[in-house]
Amino acid sequence: MVQSPSVKQVRIDSGFWGVYRGLVREVVLPYQYEALNDRVEGADKSYAIHNLKAAAGLIPPEQKGPVFQDSDLGKWLEAVGYALQDKPNPQLEAWADELIGIMEKAQQPDGYLNSFYILRGLDQRFTNLIDCHELYCLGHLIEGAISYWQATGKTKVLDIMRRYADLVDRLMGPGEGQLRGYPGHEEIELALVKLYRVTGERRYLDLAEYFILERGKSPSFFIQEWEKRGRTRHFDTHDTRVPELSYFQAHEPVTGMSEAVGHAVRAVYLYSGMADIAAETGNEELRAACLRLFDNISQKQMYITGGIGQTHHGEAFTFGYDLPNDTVYAETCAAIGLVFFCRRMFNLERDAKYIDVMERALYNGVIAGMALDGRRYFYVNPLENWPEASEKNPGRNHVRPVRQPWFGCSCCPPNLARLVSGLGEYLYSYGENSIYVHLYTGSRAEFDLSCGKVTIEQSTKYPWDGAVKLTVRGAGRYTLALRVPGWCRQAALTVNGQAAEPTAVKGYILLNRDWAGQTEILLTLDMPVAVMQASPLVRADAGKVAVQRGPLVYCAEEADNGSDLAALSLPPGAGFALGKAAGLPEEAVALRVSGHRETPGDGLYYPASFEKKPAEITFVPYYLWGNRGPDKSAGGEMAVWLNRDRD
Amino acid sequence: MVQSPSVKQVRIDSGFWGVYRGLVREVVLPYQYEALNDRVEGADKSYAIHNLKAAAGLIPPEQKGPVFQDSDLGKWLEAVGYALQDKPNPQLEAWADELIGIMEKAQQPDGYLNSFYILRGLDQRFTNLIDCHELYCLGHLIEGAISYWQATGKTKVLDIMRRYADLVDRLMGPGEGQLRGYPGHEEIELALVKLYRVTGERRYLDLAEYFILERGKSPSFFIQEWEKRGRTRHFDTHDTRVPELSYFQAHEPVTGMSEAVGHAVRAVYLYSGMADIAAETGNEELRAACLRLFDNISQKQMYITGGIGQTHHGEAFTFGYDLPNDTVYAETCAAIGLVFFCRRMFNLERDAKYIDVMERALYNGVIAGMALDGRRYFYVNPLENWPEASEKNPGRNHVRPVRQPWFGCSCCPPNLARLVSGLGEYLYSYGENSIYVHLYTGSRAEFDLSCGKVTIEQSTKYPWDGAVKLTVRGAGRYTLALRVPGWCRQAALTVNGQAAEPTAVKGYILLNRDWAGQTEILLTLDMPVAVMQASPLVRADAGKVAVQRGPLVYCAEEADNGSDLAALSLPPGAGFALGKAAGLPEEAVALRVSGHRETPGDGLYYPASFEKKPAEITFVPYYLWGNRGPDKSAGGEMAVWLNRDRD
């Protein structure tokens, strides 16, 4: 069994992710605090802090916006906590303390703390678990509290949230007089496992386990609750239909699940919780279900960007090999949830296939969600952007062609902030005598192994270059496991200047030796441009190719290639030239290749001739798309999959 | 100026369309009368006759089903009339008389005849023209009445409908005290022009012209009506938004229109009416708008099957080159409306390009709507059928993978019946001294030209074979114009055994001569298999090919090719063999070709190899798809567009 390090253990302060973490600390978190306070002009209103203040009696008691706005505060606080674990930031800390002060005032005598029900009627609390996100909000606030407490040592917010968690623990469960419910939007399970880990209080783990294992049992709690409520729903008061349980992953007990279904974010949060419980309790049935669900997602229901969720109807999974690039959902939060799931699965299984998917999601589907300036966000991350279709085809209206300053339902932006801010947890896993290096990025990490303290310093231009220098300090016998990413066909390794065998087992080169003093390791991952295809069972991509280099999936943008990207085609065996793309960061590698552009013939349909002329095609990293143009958010076409040429 | 012949003038009694017309007369119309009477087990209920009987006081006054059910009775009656113009059918006539008897009883003293408002409150009539289809239903009933009167000489139903038309003529129009409205669903315009033509009463033409030219003027009648009604809508009583005028083609005056927008059936009915008024009144602005709208549809918004309407949201057009094959709508009624529009445009312009589109729609998008047994129907005609997606991807739920016995909103089945039953009108156009032959099918036609009577007998296996024998009788100097379809690259012609010049002008070989006695013409249209492509601006089809032979578009079905059709690919220059397909009509030509099937690699995404093995691919005519399987309606995959091979 291995575990993930804390953010305190792993300082990411340079390189690719160092830049991102700096952006989050310096720009994103202040910007988001403004947004949460409804002070960003032209942006959708959050009402998150408004509602909390109203619940605290600081302003008139009016609830605004969706039911789940408290959760954004939890995510923001969690991100702030991770940022403060690196180094002090008085401004962020002052804002966080201000927020915590309001939370304290809003908390009810029995510990309850949810602005929606405090403002709309406490008598209704816990009567609509399926829709009203109470436990989801609680989960996020717990995670925020833990992070902030770990960063600052201030216990106030942790105490607040424990009081609320304790209330839920008293009220819910299988015991007599308890409400035998579970959350409509999973998340609290992850928070409770964390709370157990930092407090050592077993009842938090038990409650998480209860929520997981109770879920989907017959007769359905959600149906019973709905009957009791008079068959009403929160989001559509005219809807009198029986709730669709699969949307909530509550259609069957979790141990029987094999296929990822329903709301994609809910799903991967649940699966992450299942992996946590499997790790903590050794539940083999849960573990087996996790293995099946991961394989189902990664082998049948995941975009090449690591995006998940194929339809905006319910922001949901559909079924295997149905991966439309145009009507896609691929919510940023869902890719983030997949990252959560992958890390937990690695710690359970110690197989690089989980980190391969995690890396794919991180570098593509996740960070595409935020503009380079940190102030605009995608909710849906399409693999094909056609602005006219977003405007004129109602089935594609949900795909915004440019990033937005905020959303009425703005789950993604603070989720991205907390993931990037807390990314240290994802670079490594470690056990008593082993350290697994998952991600390569400028960083300094510290581990207490049974043989003593080990530090690892990474220096690399990854993902732009495949050379990684690791400086290892710490004596003793332990295994250092270096990941050779799935995309890498050839790796080279030197240890203190001596060539070493780069053979990987389950994706890791295992250096098991007696370490002494300082060891310099140079890992070189061959990083050619790869022209990728999808399984022919993926209809949307049949006959098409995508370009990838290292972990980065590339795309063609109108900014470089003109419009009508579907007319472009890429010949087999094309040679790519590495270069820069105007208007993108200096270090970003663009790719250029000689391809073709088909010439429209006469009319709409005609005998096949596929007349074409040579065209240079420029590819830029997918995560950077939509960052150029007059106002730095200009839309324009984008495509990940292009046609391949016949010749 | 040329005109279309009546159904009486053109008897289609053999060949491809003879079989279809026989099916409609013998099977479809009796079946549909059962359906309209709610007597088909397992089918959605119509309530059309129920409602009319209730309005007539024959059963308790309860209105059921949608607001527009009267229209289905008009369509059915029109189809019956066309059938009876060929030869007597006492059963059909008895049913029609029964229906007319109920109509007579339901008609109100002032002429009003709409079952919905008679049952739901006459005080509300004409208060919701935008939604409630009163004028649409009236239009269909007028068309039915004319057809039945022409067939039988019985004036009762024509009198009934004229009384109602006269009421509307009194109530609506630009005059003082009149309601300055127009229909929410266009159709009555076509009916009024017909009524003018058969009665000679100019006021019917004037009313049609008023409806056309008033449409879309500012301030909007529909908005004013909506305000007056208290801002309520019929179909969604919770909807308080301002009506979207473009859905109704009421966003601008029709003479300014250039782009087909909104509900596709409504649109092409309107454009047909515009062409009628342009023909009758010489309005050049209307004509110019028709030319623009036809070009917009046929050059930018039409499927290769002649289907139109790219989205199920509003059953509507989207925009140019947006032609998704999967989320497609392509309602049967819309293809039928396009046929209407094309015929009128030809008569206005005498250019075969209109008939090329008409033929494309007829042989593909229209008749695909009905099963070979005449008892099952498609509403949506997809170009790609993936049954699992129809079930599991909500964005594709609207695409039914098998034909249905009836629909709650069952506009398409009786529309198909009336078009096929009245197809005689579409085979020819004629003027004083000219006859244009548009469609080739076994038939006998009679024309009164200024020089006297001319008859034409056609004998052909078209569309299975390109040889057409025409026997022309009738002396005098006139022009016989033989269409060379747009798909035909080479035609041969003999006149009384002598080779003649097959040069076509605007798509017609013009035989202008002094005719005497009997002339035997043999037209041979070269009909090779054509591998077609779409303009590269059509993203959904980029890199793909479709197969066409003569006017028939082909498709690959799971029944012949197994599942996962997207894995199939067609090499360039492939040679096709003509053959038969098991389970399809004896005369139907299937096509076989050596292609490839791609072999799935390891995982979902991998370096492009496109490994494949040889595979024989069978294509069957698109209109025949979904006719095989255990219960003759078995679903299964279908694809019109396949990938082309690289080599």
Side-chain angles (χ1 to χ4, degrees):
Chain A
M1 186 78 82
V2 294
Q3 59 179 309
S4 298
S6 72
V7 175
K8 247 182 193 145
Q9 282 175 263
V10 185
R11 304 289 169 98
I12 303 173
D13 43 20
S14 67
F16 187 89
W17 290 109
V19 171
Y20 258 96
R21 290 200 73 229
L23 181 73
V24 167
R25 190 178 55 238
E26 305 300 332
V27 177
V28 175
L29 289 173
Y31 173 80
Q32 295 194 349
Y33 198 64
E34 291 303 291
L36 293 167
N37 274 289
D38 310 321
R39 294 191 292 244
V40 175
E41 205 156 333
D44 286 356
K45 295 262 183 274
S46 162
Y47 302 119
I49 288 176
H50 165 93
N51 289 339
L52 198 67
K53 280 183 176 166
L58 301 171
I59 56 173
E62 189 186 6
Q63 193 278 336
K64 293 181 176 180
V67 68
F68 39 66
Q69 299 304 73
D70 288 358
S71 62
D72 290 342
L73 302 174
K75 292 179 193 173
W76 181 84
L77 186 62
E78 186 181 341
V80 167
Y82 296 138
L84 297 179
Q85 287 181 46
D86 270 1
K87 56 179 171 186
N89 184 318
Q91 179 62 78
L92 286 178
E93 192 166 336
W95 284 332
D97 286 337
E98 175 183 61
L99 171 64
I100 292 162
I102 308 170
M103 287 170 66
E104 188 179 26
K105 289 199 179 72
Q107 188 163 41
Q108 301 299 294
D110 65 356
Y112 187 78
L113 177 50
N114 179 290
S115 68
F116 184 85
Y117 283 102
I118 292 172
L119 293 167
R120 297 261 176 172
L122 281 166
D123 57 323
Q124 295 300 308
R125 73 183 194 181
F126 302 131
T127 59
N128 193 346
L129 295 189
I130 193 172
D131 287 332
C132 288
H133 290 69
E134 274 164 297
L135 299 177
Y136 169 83
C137 289
L138 168 54
H140 277 301
L141 288 169
I142 291 171
E143 291 204 77
I146 294 170
S147 170
Y148 191 70
W149 162 71
Q150 286 180 321
T152 61
K154 296 179 184 172
T155 59
K156 187 195 275 187
V157 71
L158 189 64
D159 292 341
I160 291 171
M161 293 320 302
R162 285 189 64 173
R163 287 183 60 211
Y164 188 8
D166 292 345
L167 172 70
V168 168
D169 186 41
R170 285 195 302 278
L171 294 178
M172 295 189 198
E176 208 175 333
Q178 287 187 304
L179 183 67
R180 199 158 178 157
Y182 41 85
H185 194 314
E186 305 90 330
E187 145 62 22
I188 192 172
E189 300 86 345
L190 305 178
L192 288 171
V193 172
K194 267 194 197 174
L195 193 56
Y196 156 69
R197 287 175 181 163
V198 299
T199 63
E201 294 271 10
R202 176 84 198 186
R203 63 203 163 87
Y204 297 130
L205 180 66
D206 293 342
L207 184 58
E209 185 185 27
Y210 157 76
F211 282 142
I212 296 271
L213 296 181
E214 183 68 15
R215 191 170 203 89
K217 282 193 181 163
S218 259
S220 166
F221 168 77
F222 286 150
I223 305 288
Q224 292 175 326
E225 182 198 56
W226 170 74
E227 299 274 9
K228 196 182 295 177
R229 212 168 45 236
R231 303 188 168 206
T232 63
R233 299 297 299 272
H234 175 76
F235 290 101
D236 182 354
T237 50
H238 303 301
D239 190 353
T240 56
R241 292 167 303 174
V242 181
E244 178 58 53
L245 296 176
S246 61
Y247 170 86
F248 304 92
Q249 301 80 42
H251 55 298
E252 63 176 334
V254 300
T255 48
M257 293 180 177
S258 297
E259 205 179 333
V261 297
H263 185 261
V265 179
R266 282 176 168 83
V268 282
Y269 280 23
L270 170 64
Y271 309 154
S272 300
M274 288 162 64
D276 271 346
I277 298 298
E280 292 292 345
T281 69
N283 184 326
E284 280 298 320
E285 277 193 301
L286 272 184
R287 175 176 166 247
C290 288
L291 295 175
R292 293 193 301 269
L293 290 163
F294 178 85
D295 282 351
N296 176 263
I297 293 174
S298 62
Q299 297 299 301
K300 291 188 177 173
Q301 300 204 74
M302 181 184 74
Y303 289 95
I304 194 171
T305 55
I308 51 172
Q310 300 102 312
T311 177
H312 72 286
H313 298 274
E315 308 178 316
F317 287 107
T318 59
F319 66 102
Y321 305 115
D322 180 42
L323 289 157
N325 296 307
D326 48 1
T327 56
V328 52
Y329 205 71
E331 180 181 342
T332 308
C333 279
I336 291 171
L338 181 58
V339 168
F340 296 164
F341 185 34
C342 289
R343 173 162 72 84
R344 287 163 173 83
M345 288 308 293
F346 177 86
N347 288 349
L348 210 51
E349 301 296 319
R350 276 170 293 172
D351 187 324
K353 74 177 187 179
Y354 301 105
I355 306 300
D356 283 342
V357 169
M358 181 178 100
E359 188 184 51
R360 183 181 289 285
L362 259 183
Y363 279 101
N364 302 288
V366 169
I367 52 169
M370 184 165 73
L372 282 172
D373 70 3
R375 296 161 185 270
R376 294 190 194 84
Y377 307 91
F378 281 131
Y379 198 105
V380 171
N381 294 278
L383 280 81
E384 173 188 318
N385 189 45
W386 189 8
E388 195 172 6
S390 289
E391 184 193 340
K392 297 180 182 171
N393 186 323
R396 297 173 68 168
N397 280 169
H398 64 285
V399 179
R400 306 305 310 146
V402 293
R403 292 182 181 84
Q404 307 291 310
W406 204 249
F407 306 92
C409 165
S410 211
C411 48
C412 301
N415 216 0
L416 231 160
R418 72 176 180 133
L419 176 64
V420 172
S421 196
L423 198 69
E425 294 182 349
Y426 297 80
L427 263 56
Y428 296 90
S429 292
Y430 70 105
E432 285 195 5
N433 299 301
S434 58
I435 301 170
Y436 288 83
V437 192
H438 301 317
L439 300 179
Y440 299 110
T441 192
S443 57
R444 281 122 78 69
E446 196 175 294
F447 303 92
D448 280 315
L449 303 190
S450 60
C451 61
K453 181 176 289 189
V454 175
T455 67
I456 302 178
E457 214 176 305
Q458 286 193 41
S459 169
T460 178
K461 289 182 184 153
Y462 192 96
W464 308 117
D465 183 289
V468 185
K469 194 175 90 175
L470 298 108
T471 307
V472 183
R473 296 185 190 85
R477 183 159 194 96
Y478 55 91
T479 301
L480 186 68
L482 302 174
R483 174 168 162 263
V484 178
W487 52 260
C488 179
R489 305 276 147 204
Q490 199 172 334
L493 183 71
T494 66
V495 178
N496 285 332
Q498 303 273 314
E501 180 57 56
T503 308
V505 177
K506 284 193 177 177
Y508 288 82
I509 301 170
L510 301 176
L511 300 174
N512 182 22
R513 57 175 67 196
D514 290 312
W515 303 81
Q518 174 174 320
T519 310
E520 292 262 323
I521 298 174
L522 191 63
L523 175 66
T524 309
L525 303 165
D526 198 22
M527 196 181 269
V529 177
V531 176
M532 304 291 287
Q533 71 162 104
S535 163
L537 303 178
V538 180
R539 283 148 216 254
D541 302 333
K544 294 192 164 76
V545 290
V547 173
Q548 193 174 334
R549 180 172 177 268
L552 295 175
V553 172
Y554 277 69
C555 68
E557 278 201 282
E558 184 174 337
D560 301 302
N561 301 289
S563 62
D564 302 316
L565 299 176
L568 296 176
S569 56
L570 204 63
F576 290 83
L578 275 53
K580 298 192 182 307
L584 291 180
E586 187 63 16
E587 66 277 15
V589 173
L591 306 174
R592 286 193 182 77
V593 64
S594 293
H596 291 110
R597 176 178 280 276
E598 198 189 323
T599 320
D602 189 21
L604 197 51
Y605 306 107
Y606 42 86
S609 61
F610 294 102
E611 277 177 35
K612 60 198 178 189
K613 50 188 185 191
E616 188 185 67
I617 307 177
T618 298
F619 291 90
V620 297
Y622 171 77
Y623 84 89
L624 289 173
W625 86 272
N627 268 296
R628 291 178 290 179
D631 65 351
K632 295 236 173 197
S633 71
E637 289 183 35
M638 181 277 293
V640 169
W641 294 98
L642 289 191
N643 280 301
R644 67 192 172 122
D645 259 350
R646 275 181 49 214
D647 40 54
Chain B
M1 186 77 82
V2 293
Q3 58 179 306
S4 298
S6 72
V7 175
K8 247 182 195 148
Q9 281 175 265
V10 185
R11 304 289 168 99
I12 302 174
D13 42 20
S14 67
F16 187 89
W17 289 109
V19 171
Y20 257 96
R21 289 200 73 230
L23 180 73
V24 166
R25 190 178 55 239
E26 305 301 332
V27 177
V28 174
L29 290 173
Y31 173 80
Q32 294 194 349
Y33 197 64
E34 291 302 292
L36 292 167
N37 274 289
D38 310 322
R39 295 192 292 244
V40 176
E41 204 156 333
D44 285 357
K45 295 263 183 273
S46 162
Y47 303 119
I49 288 176
H50 165 94
N51 289 339
L52 198 67
K53 281 184 177 166
L58 300 172
I59 56 173
E62 190 186 5
Q63 193 279 337
K64 293 181 177 181
V67 67
F68 39 65
Q69 299 304 72
D70 288 357
S71 63
D72 289 343
L73 301 174
K75 292 179 193 173
W76 180 85
L77 186 63
E78 185 181 342
V80 167
Y82 296 139
L84 296 179
Q85 287 180 45
D86 270 2
K87 57 178 170 187
N89 185 318
Q91 180 62 77
L92 286 178
E93 192 166 336
W95 283 333
D97 286 337
E98 176 182 62
L99 172 63
I100 291 162
I102 308 170
M103 288 169 67
E104 189 179 25
K105 289 199 180 72
Q107 188 163 40
Q108 301 298 296
D110 64 356
Y112 187 78
L113 177 51
N114 178 290
S115 68
F116 183 84
Y117 283 102
I118 292 172
L119 293 166
R120 297 262 176 172
L122 281 165
D123 57 323
Q124 295 300 307
R125 73 182 194 180
F126 302 130
T127 60
N128 194 344
L129 295 189
I130 193 173
D131 287 333
C132 288
H133 290 69
E134 275 164 297
L135 299 175
Y136 169 82
C137 289
L138 169 54
H140 277 302
L141 288 169
I142 290 172
E143 290 203 79
I146 293 170
S147 170
Y148 190 70
W149 162 70
Q150 287 179 320
T152 61
K154 296 179 186 173
T155 57
K156 186 195 274 186
V157 71
L158 189 64
D159 293 341
I160 290 171
M161 294 320 301
R162 285 189 65 175
R163 288 182 61 208
Y164 188 8
D166 292 345
L167 172 70
V168 169
D169 186 40
R170 286 195 302 278
L171 294 179
M172 295 189 197
E176 207 176 332
Q178 287 186 303
L179 183 67
R180 199 158 178 158
Y182 42 84
H185 194 313
E186 305 91 329
E187 146 63 23
I188 193 172
E189 300 85 345
L190 305 177
L192 288 170
V193 172
K194 265 194 197 173
L195 193 56
Y196 156 68
R197 287 176 180 162
V198 299
T199 64
E201 294 272 10
R202 175 85 199 185
R203 62 204 163 87
Y204 297 131
L205 180 66
D206 292 342
L207 184 58
E209 185 185 26
Y210 158 77
F211 281 142
I212 297 270
L213 296 180
E214 184 68 15
R215 191 170 204 89
K217 283 192 179 162
S218 262
S220 165
F221 167 76
F222 286 150
I223 305 287
Q224 292 176 327
E225 182 198 56
W226 171 72
E227 300 273 10
K228 197 181 293 176
R229 212 168 44 237
R231 305 191 167 204
T232 63
R233 298 298 298 273
H234 175 77
F235 290 100
D236 183 353
T237 49
H238 304 301
D239 190 355
T240 56
R241 291 167 304 176
V242 181
E244 178 59 53
L245 296 175
S246 61
Y247 170 85
F248 304 93
Q249 300 80 42
H251 55 298
E252 63 175 334
V254 299
T255 48
M257 292 179 177
S258 298
E259 204 180 333
V261 297
H263 186 261
V265 180
R266 283 176 168 82
V268 281
Y269 280 23
L270 170 64
Y271 309 154
S272 300
M274 288 163 62
D276 271 345
I277 298 297
E280 292 292 344
T281 69
N283 184 325
E284 280 297 320
E285 276 192 303
L286 272 184
R287 175 176 166 248
C290 287
L291 294 175
R292 293 192 301 270
L293 290 163
F294 178 85
D295 283 351
N296 176 263
I297 293 173
S298 62
Q299 297 300 301
K300 292 188 176 173
Q301 299 204 76
M302 182 184 73
Y303 288 95
I304 194 170
T305 56
I308 52 173
Q310 300 102 311
T311 176
H312 72 286
H313 298 274
E315 309 179 315
F317 288 106
T318 58
F319 66 101
Y321 304 114
D322 181 41
L323 290 156
N325 296 307
D326 50 0
T327 57
V328 51
Y329 205 71
E331 180 180 343
T332 307
C333 279
I336 291 171
L338 181 58
V339 167
F340 297 164
F341 185 34
C342 289
R343 174 162 72 84
R344 287 162 172 84
M345 288 308 293
F346 177 86
N347 288 349
L348 210 51
E349 301 296 320
R350 276 171 292 171
D351 187 325
K353 75 176 186 178
Y354 301 105
I355 305 300
D356 283 342
V357 170
M358 182 178 98
E359 188 184 52
R360 183 181 289 285
L362 258 182
Y363 278 101
N364 303 288
V366 169
I367 52 169
M370 185 164 72
L372 283 172
D373 70 3
R375 296 160 186 269
R376 293 192 193 82
Y377 307 91
F378 281 129
Y379 198 106
V380 171
N381 294 278
L383 279 82
E384 173 188 317
N385 190 45
W386 189 8
E388 194 173 6
S390 289
E391 185 193 339
K392 298 180 182 172
N393 186 323
R396 296 174 70 167
N397 280 168
H398 65 285
V399 179
R400 305 305 310 145
V402 294
R403 292 182 181 84
Q404 307 291 312
W406 204 250
F407 305 93
C409 165
S410 211
C411 48
C412 300
N415 216 0
L416 231 160
R418 72 175 180 133
L419 176 63
V420 172
S421 195
L423 198 70
E425 294 182 349
Y426 297 79
L427 262 57
Y428 296 91
S429 293
Y430 70 105
E432 284 194 8
N433 298 302
S434 59
I435 301 171
Y436 289 83
V437 192
H438 301 318
L439 301 179
Y440 299 111
T441 192
S443 56
R444 283 122 76 69
E446 195 175 294
F447 302 93
D448 280 314
L449 303 190
S450 60
C451 61
K453 180 175 290 188
V454 175
T455 66
I456 302 177
E457 214 176 305
Q458 286 194 40
S459 169
T460 177
K461 290 183 183 153
Y462 192 97
W464 308 118
D465 182 288
V468 186
K469 193 175 89 175
L470 298 108
T471 307
V472 182
R473 295 186 190 86
R477 183 160 194 96
Y478 55 91
T479 301
L480 185 68
L482 302 174
R483 175 170 163 262
V484 179
W487 53 260
C488 177
R489 304 277 148 205
Q490 198 171 336
L493 183 71
T494 66
V495 178
N496 285 332
Q498 302 274 313
E501 179 56 56
T503 309
V505 178
K506 283 192 177 178
Y508 287 82
I509 301 170
L510 301 176
L511 300 175
N512 182 22
R513 58 174 67 196
D514 290 311
W515 302 79
Q518 175 173 319
T519 310
E520 291 263 323
I521 299 173
L522 191 62
L523 176 67
T524 308
L525 303 165
D526 197 23
M527 196 181 268
V529 177
V531 176
M532 305 289 289
Q533 71 161 104
S535 163
L537 303 178
V538 180
R539 284 148 215 252
D541 302 334
K544 294 193 164 76
V545 289
V547 173
Q548 192 174 333
R549 180 172 177 267
L552 296 175
V553 172
Y554 277 69
C555 68
E557 279 202 282
E558 185 174 337
D560 302 302
N561 301 290
S563 62
D564 300 317
L565 298 176
L568 297 175
S569 56
L570 203 64
F576 289 83
L578 275 54
K580 300 193 181 305
L584 291 180
E586 187 64 15
E587 66 277 16
V589 174
L591 305 174
R592 286 194 181 76
V593 64
S594 293
H596 292 108
R597 177 178 279 277
E598 200 187 323
T599 318
D602 189 21
L604 196 51
Y605 305 107
Y606 42 87
S609 62
F610 295 101
E611 277 177 34
K612 62 198 177 190
K613 51 187 184 190
E616 188 185 66
I617 306 177
T618 297
F619 291 90
V620 296
Y622 171 76
Y623 85 89
L624 290 173
W625 85 273
N627 269 296
R628 291 178 289 178
D631 65 350
K632 295 236 171 195
S633 71
E637 290 184 34
M638 182 277 294
V640 168
W641 294 97
L642 289 191
N643 281 300
R644 68 190 172 124
D645 259 350
R646 275 181 49 214
D647 40 53

